[in-house]
Amino acid sequence: MLKSLFIANRGEIAVRIIRAARELGIRTIQAHSAADADSLAVKMADEAVNIGPPHAAKSYLNIPVIIEAAKKAGADAIHPGYGFLAENAGFADAVTSAGLIFVGPSGDAIRTMGDKVSARIAAEKAGVPVVPGSGGRIDDLDEAARVAHRIGYPIMIKAAAGGGGRGIRIAQTAGEFTQLLPQAQAEAQAAFGDGGLYIERLIPAARHIEVQVLGDGERAIHCFERECSLQRRRQKLWEEAPSPVLPEEVREALCASAVALAEAVHYKGAGTIEYLYDDETRHFYFIEMNTRIQVEHPVTEFVTGLDLVREMILIAGGERLRHQQKDIKRAGHAIEVRINAEDPAKNFMPFPGTVKGLHVPGGPGTRFDTMLYDGYQVPPFYDSLLGKLIVWDETRGQAIDRLTRALGELEIGGLKTTKPLHLLLAADPQVREGKFHTRWLEPWLEANASRLAE
């Protein structure tokens, strides 16, 4: 069992990790930048350490400073949360080289699954279906054109080292492909320091389905799927479990394939394997693996009753998986919406400021994961996520009703937030019927711009 945990992250996930660690009797040390000195995580942790100025490159992304601070504080493990260094193989290696425990998979597993090309190869070896594509990394533009012609249009161009939807281009024709390919290569090089690309066929009306897995390095289990198809610019805004459209036989095959892949790469900790699902053909395709805890993990916790953050801390401390697959049951329906400091009526313009008048919703089946408190100054330097409103009820329809009620109770004075967007989505007939896909939301936003501005 771990005795002390250094948290190399901020915001709501840092608060979430502190809560899980405290219930396990683990001492917490919260790393923070100068801009986060008054954060809720700093107030809650047993100890806090200033690791540098507001700019993330000099604080939350500064590997030598983080490791030195953790060692000096007497920590025996580092939890990376999500974002920042959570999927940095070099960071995981540096943590273990320093004699500390990394709460997550090995550097080798992150390296294999973090690169989209090697991840695709690993998936194919594990027997997991992949989207028809280049089959490997492409650096030569002429070769890319030949592969695109073989696969057929529309084509999606992705950065081999990319993630979070960045560096993606869609080409409907050979002419567009020729024009977009150099742009994608330049953006990949600038964003990730690696100009490598791969290409795959675009599935126009695909749904985004992901499977939560837990592994101990030898054995893995799944905790069922989440659906995250409501996305803006490939950033998720609304997530739910279970998917409202998966037939049971597809669900079983999908989840079994995720377990096979996790075991094939000797995965340790909590991770998520992401798929595209074609609702018409009922085919699913592996797209990538996120080697960390994810923002949307609470919907899985609501429908399974598991504490995923606690499980990953226990695994990092040396415990084997405490559950067999047959022990993991699913009940009811959960929905999470992301409350961001953005004005949806003005193209989601960031809106940092001071919280004046906070009221958090409560009641049955309602959870609000946040780092906010009254008077908190939201810093302008980081991600705009303020909190996650998660609800559970027996059916999907009841969960949406509960979400509407909880959103009505939520008050975050002093800021513009995405709450009005979620109220409109919850009332939309197509959302209520589950009739959407990954490219549904952006046209909907255009069509409902005037209602968002009201």
Side-chain angles (χ1 to χ4, degrees):
M1 170 68 81
L2 304 180
K3 293 182 179 176
S4 59
L5 181 63
F6 191 89
I7 301 162
N9 213 300
R10 63 176 304 280
E12 67 86 21
I13 190 61
V15 172
R16 172 74 182 85
I17 295 165
I18 290 169
R19 286 176 169 146
R22 183 152 293 159
E23 289 176 6
L24 290 167
I26 298 172
R27 171 176 160 257
T28 54
I29 306 115
Q30 176 62 47
H32 69 88
S33 72
D36 280 334
D38 293 326
S39 69
L40 183 59
V42 167
K43 295 176 186 296
M44 289 178 62
D46 296 305
E47 188 179 332
V49 180
N50 187 332
I51 56 169
H55 198 287
K58 296 181 179 178
S59 51
Y60 296 110
L61 293 172
N62 191 327
I63 293 175
V65 166
I66 289 171
I67 290 177
E68 184 59 31
K71 290 174 66 175
K72 194 172 178 180
D76 51 15
I78 297 179
H79 198 308
Y82 54 68
F84 293 130
L85 296 169
E87 294 182 279
N88 185 309
F91 181 53
D93 289 343
V95 170
T96 52
S97 295
L100 302 171
I101 295 169
F102 182 73
V103 183
S106 67
D108 286 343
I110 296 174
R111 213 168 273 114
T112 298
M113 302 312 291
D115 182 278
K116 288 187 169 51
V117 174
S118 60
R120 180 186 172 98
I121 293 170
E124 287 181 306
K125 283 183 179 176
V128 182
V130 299
V131 181
S134 55
R137 174 193 181 94
I138 294 181
D139 293 289
D140 180 83
L141 302 189
D142 291 334
E143 181 193 357
R146 287 193 292 274
V147 173
H149 179 72
R150 172 174 58 79
I151 296 169
Y153 292 92
I155 289 284
M156 188 175 284
I157 309 167
K158 295 184 176 180
R166 297 179 67 190
I168 293 178
R169 295 285 191 282
I170 293 171
Q172 300 288 345
T173 65
E176 285 185 5
F177 184 77
T178 303
Q179 182 182 359
L180 294 174
L181 198 63
Q183 294 177 18
Q185 193 173 45
E187 182 174 319
Q189 182 64 45
F192 308 111
D194 181 348
L197 302 173
Y198 77 102
I199 58 179
E200 63 187 24
R201 182 187 299 157
L202 174 71
I203 301 171
R207 301 179 75 110
H208 183 115
I209 310 286
E210 58 189 33
V211 179
Q212 177 71 57
V213 295
L214 287 170
D216 60 13
E218 294 182 8
R219 192 167 64 83
I221 57 172
H222 71 78
C223 308
F224 298 98
E225 87 285 359
R226 299 185 284 260
E227 168 137 10
C228 313
S229 296
L230 287 172
Q231 304 177 5
R232 173 181 175 267
R233 297 180 179 175
R234 301 184 184 87
Q235 300 295 319
K236 302 163 189 171
L237 293 174
W238 165 306
E239 299 108 339
E240 57 187 290
S243 164
V245 298
L246 275 190
E248 194 54 37
E249 66 273 19
V250 176
R251 174 174 291 115
E252 290 178 8
L254 184 80
C255 293
S257 78
V259 170
L261 179 53
E263 290 187 342
V265 299
H266 306 290
Y267 195 78
K268 189 174 181 181
T272 301
I273 300 178
E274 301 194 338
Y275 300 83
L276 292 179
Y277 175 63
D278 188 330
D279 205 6
E280 291 188 4
T281 65
R282 295 191 173 189
H283 289 162
F284 61 85
Y285 307 95
F286 167 81
I287 48 175
E288 64 179 347
M289 181 173 190
N290 293 138
T291 54
R292 54 175 165 78
I293 194 72
Q294 282 196 282
V295 176
E296 57 268 34
H297 74 273
V299 292
T300 296
E301 294 185 327
F302 249 150
V303 296
T304 63
L306 291 170
D307 182 332
L308 294 169
V309 178
R310 178 169 61 193
E311 295 302 321
M312 70 188 299
I313 292 173
L314 290 172
I315 291 168
E319 290 196 20
R320 294 295 182 191
L321 277 177
R322 300 189 305 153
H323 306 282
Q324 302 293 323
Q325 188 63 64
K326 62 180 174 58
D327 301 328
I328 310 300
K329 307 294 184 186
R330 175 173 53 85
H333 198 98
I335 301 172
E336 172 185 294
V337 294
R338 301 189 188 196
I339 306 298
N340 296 334
E342 299 172 347
D343 185 353
K346 295 184 178 177
N347 199 29
F348 293 83
M349 183 176 69
F351 208 102
T354 302
V355 178
K356 298 174 182 174
L358 174 69
H359 180 76
V360 174
T366 305
R367 167 177 167 182
F368 189 54
D369 282 16
T370 188
M371 77 296 197
L372 297 182
Y373 59 85
D374 229 358
Y376 175 62
Q377 172 71 43
V378 178
F381 309 103
Y382 311 110
D383 184 271
S384 61
L385 182 67
L386 298 174
K388 307 174 316 197
L389 179 58
I390 312 107
V391 296
W392 177 95
D393 212 325
E394 293 179 2
T395 68
R396 184 171 185 271
Q398 290 172 324
I400 294 176
D401 291 340
R402 181 161 283 170
L403 174 66
T404 304
R405 186 270 301 165
L407 282 167
E409 290 183 19
L410 176 64
E411 293 179 13
I412 306 175
L415 304 174
K416 293 280 187 182
T417 76
T418 48
K419 169 183 162 178
L421 164 69
H422 295 305
L423 279 169
L424 281 181
L425 285 173
D428 186 273
Q430 283 187 281
V431 172
R432 284 195 163 257
E433 292 175 19
K435 294 181 177 177
F436 46 76
H437 50 76
T438 54
R439 304 179 77 188
W440 180 89
L441 183 57
E442 294 190 31
W444 182 92
L445 287 169
E446 289 184 20
N448 288 275
S450 60
R451 298 177 69 198
L452 283 169
E454 289 174 358

